[in-house]
Amino acid sequence: MELEGRLEGSGCHPGDTTEDTLKEDAAWSGIGSKAGDTEQRLDSRPPDQDSRTAGQLQSASDISSTGAEMPYLADLAGCNRRQSDGHLDPMSLNAATASGSIRPNDGEGHKVSFSGSSKSTKSIKERGSSQPPSQSATSSRSSSPLTTPSATQRSNAIERLQTRNWQRVDRQSEALWQETVPTEAQPRPFLIYHDSFIPLLGTTPTLQLLIEDDRAPYFHEAGVFHPKTNTLFITSNQIPDHSPDAVSTRNKTIIITRIEFFSPTDFSRDKVRCPERNYMANGGTNYRDGLIICAQGSLNEPAGLIYMEAKRPHRTYTLINNYHSRPFNSPNDVVAHSDGSIWFTDPMYGYEQGFRPKPQLPQHVYRFVPSTGDIRVVADGFGRPNGICFSPDEQTVYITDTDAIHGDGSKDGTRAATIYAFSVFCDPVTGSPFLVNRRVFAHADTGFPDGIKCDVHGNVYAGCGDGINVWNGGGMLVGKILIDGGVANFCFGRGGEMWCFGEKKLWRVQLAEGTKGALLKI
């Protein structure tokens, strides 16, 4: 969903981007990205000059980026935490540990582990653990009494706790609305609501700001990683465009950014130049050897699904642009099933934002089979259907409803900001899939859930107003990745890598190597 001002302070306004900026590709290479007060430039390997098209960046050195870890570490004494329910109280940790008053197994339900886990493996399994099986051995805790740690062990434990960039959330305090509840941007980006989140993070999770470009919200939706070319495709939010071609989109345009990675922090960035115009691109997904983009259309051009080749010159082909001769509203997000079918959402945001005609269809979720041309409605009853993804076994479909915010920018906290789960049922006679057992899976406590993905362990990730929220398969919130300004969408890469889109900022998150996206499983 592209909304002007979708995130606090990140909206695109006429002063953000000049006509010269949009037309002159040399200037589009990016402006300085800062970490603190120090501007750093990223040394990059320039792509093959013969394969470059007009308008490409000269190299990644044309943009200013930083691969340094953000300075989120804070003094542990500044984080007030209770000791109830097995949670450490960092304010008194030093004194209590030095005096020996904290013991490793001090009372039932009050286990304290100096390595950062406060619940036994048994209790995690009983509550529906989302931790990877491959790491269960390293994260488990013995239920037998432990000996009191030596002074050296205590010192090392305190040092580890003080250098981790995550912190626990005291659920009891949160439920009682005490002042210890985190309500603002945290000094550490990884919040742990349940110990099953710890193995997903790994031993050294990091949050990095790769690019900051204040001129326009280039990092908004899609997020399609193409492994063969090591390339990430991202669609922008709406950007002012005064060219004659943009009249039918109310003088707005959306740019697709192509980022080719040579290493996690060594890359080149340029615009995608399609031979055919892709009107108001939004969500996207991997499909065969390329990608599918949701084309929201314009006042004159139909909305639908576009297949785009991952390699230059990025030729595009229209897959579908109507439902039995009735025009789609403005397709928002899309995901491919292993059987070749394509599932997508179709809210009316384009009409509300003035670049699509009045809707002629309800806000449905569709299933399309390119090989036969079959197009079916599989779900309805949404306020604004948005993100969509499958569980790893494809037996569950997750769909976000962002009715809490409409295309005109109006917000209402009493409307849906909800993730719904559906079971996939195949008719025993025809073999056709149907969505049954609709149920509320989760409700976002901050903002609304936009883009949504699963990892290979069945955990569900969604871009929300405070960053990435993570639930296990049972709908329990297990953790958050706090990102200033929130996240509209995100994408998994290789080995626990994740890119998060914050409008004018592109973030990189490194989780445990085994935390892989369910779509690519790499």
Side-chain angles (χ1 to χ4, degrees), residues 102 185 340 346 489:
I102 291 184
D346 187 35
N489 216 320

Side-chain angles (χ1 to χ4, degrees), residues 181-515:
V181 180
T183 57
E184 299 179 355
Q186 299 296 307
R188 304 185 179 194
F190 302 99
L191 285 187
I192 298 171
Y193 285 78
H194 186 264
D195 281 1
S196 58
F197 190 49
I198 295 175
L200 299 177
L201 295 176
T203 56
T204 56
T206 58
L207 173 65
Q208 299 170 302
L209 178 62
L210 287 185
I211 302 173
E212 182 174 10
D213 194 332
D214 288 332
R215 294 167 304 160
Y218 291 114
F219 314 110
H220 179 63
E221 281 279 9
V224 181
F225 179 65
H226 189 253
K228 288 186 178 180
T229 58
N230 223 36
T231 302
L232 175 65
F233 295 89
I234 311 170
T235 58
S236 72
N237 206 323
Q238 297 174 20
I239 299 174
D241 184 358
H242 302 292
S243 67
D245 292 337
V247 173
S248 64
T249 55
R250 295 294 175 89
N251 291 1
K252 302 172 184 177
T253 192
I254 288 178
I255 291 173
I256 303 177
T257 295
R258 179 184 188 274
I259 301 178
E260 182 178 0
F261 287 92
F262 309 110
S263 76
T265 56
D266 179 13
F267 55 86
S268 64
R269 170 191 174 198
D270 57 40
K271 296 178 185 178
V272 169
R273 299 287 183 172
C274 300
E276 304 83 13
R277 179 156 181 171
N278 190 340
Y279 284 87
M280 306 300 280
N282 198 58
T285 191
N286 300 82
Y287 193 73
R288 296 180 179 174
D289 197 33
L291 56 153
I292 294 176
I293 297 291
C294 292
Q296 298 180 98
S298 68
L299 293 173
N300 299 329
E301 299 295 327
L305 300 181
I306 304 294
Y307 176 81
M308 187 178 81
E309 295 178 348
K311 298 180 180 180
R312 298 184 183 94
H314 302 298
R315 288 174 296 187
T316 58
Y317 309 88
T318 299
L319 297 177
I320 188 170
N321 60 15
N322 68 88
Y323 176 75
H324 300 295
S325 300
R326 296 171 67 180
F328 293 120
N329 298 320
S330 46
N332 189 280
D333 200 10
V334 58
V335 66
H337 192 278
S338 60
D339 65 4
S341 61
I342 303 168
W343 302 55
F344 62 99
T345 60
D346 187 35
M348 62 167 66
Y349 282 119
Y351 170 69
E352 292 178 320
Q353 294 168 9
F355 63 85
R356 285 291 290 150
K358 185 177 180 179
Q360 298 184 35
L361 285 168
Q363 300 180 91
H364 286 151
V365 178
Y366 296 92
R367 177 183 184 266
F368 172 59
V369 183
S371 60
T372 64
D374 176 53
I375 176 73
R376 290 198 298 118
V377 176
V378 291
D380 63 1
F382 297 93
R384 297 292 184 276
N386 200 313
I388 182 170
C389 77
F390 284 102
S391 61
D393 60 6
E394 297 183 325
Q395 296 301 303
T396 304
V397 174
Y398 299 99
I399 301 172
T400 67
D401 190 341
T402 53
D403 194 32
I405 183 168
H406 287 183
D408 59 4
S410 63
K411 300 178 182 180
D412 186 342
T414 65
R415 297 193 298 245
T418 308
I419 302 173
Y420 293 97
F422 298 78
S423 299
V424 181
F425 169 77
C426 288
D427 182 84
V429 178
T430 65
S432 297
F434 290 88
L435 296 186
V436 298
N437 189 24
R438 172 177 174 147
R439 55 210 184 266
V440 172
F441 176 77
H443 185 88
D445 61 71
T446 305
F448 48 87
D450 196 333
I452 188 169
K453 305 284 191 301
C454 282
D455 66 21
V456 293
H457 311 295
N459 300 292
V460 181
Y461 301 65
C464 299
D466 53 356
I468 303 293
N469 289 195
V470 185
W471 296 266
N472 67 10
M476 180 176 67
L477 181 67
V478 298
K480 291 186 177 185
I481 305 172
L482 298 179
I483 298 178
D484 186 31
V487 168
N489 216 320
F490 58 99
C491 176
F492 280 99
R494 285 191 175 91
E497 187 174 33
M498 180 189 291
W499 298 283
C500 304
F501 314 138
E503 303 298 314
K504 298 179 180 180
K505 297 178 180 180
L506 175 62
W507 300 87
R508 178 183 179 272
V509 176
Q510 182 61 56
L511 305 175
E513 186 176 353
T515 307

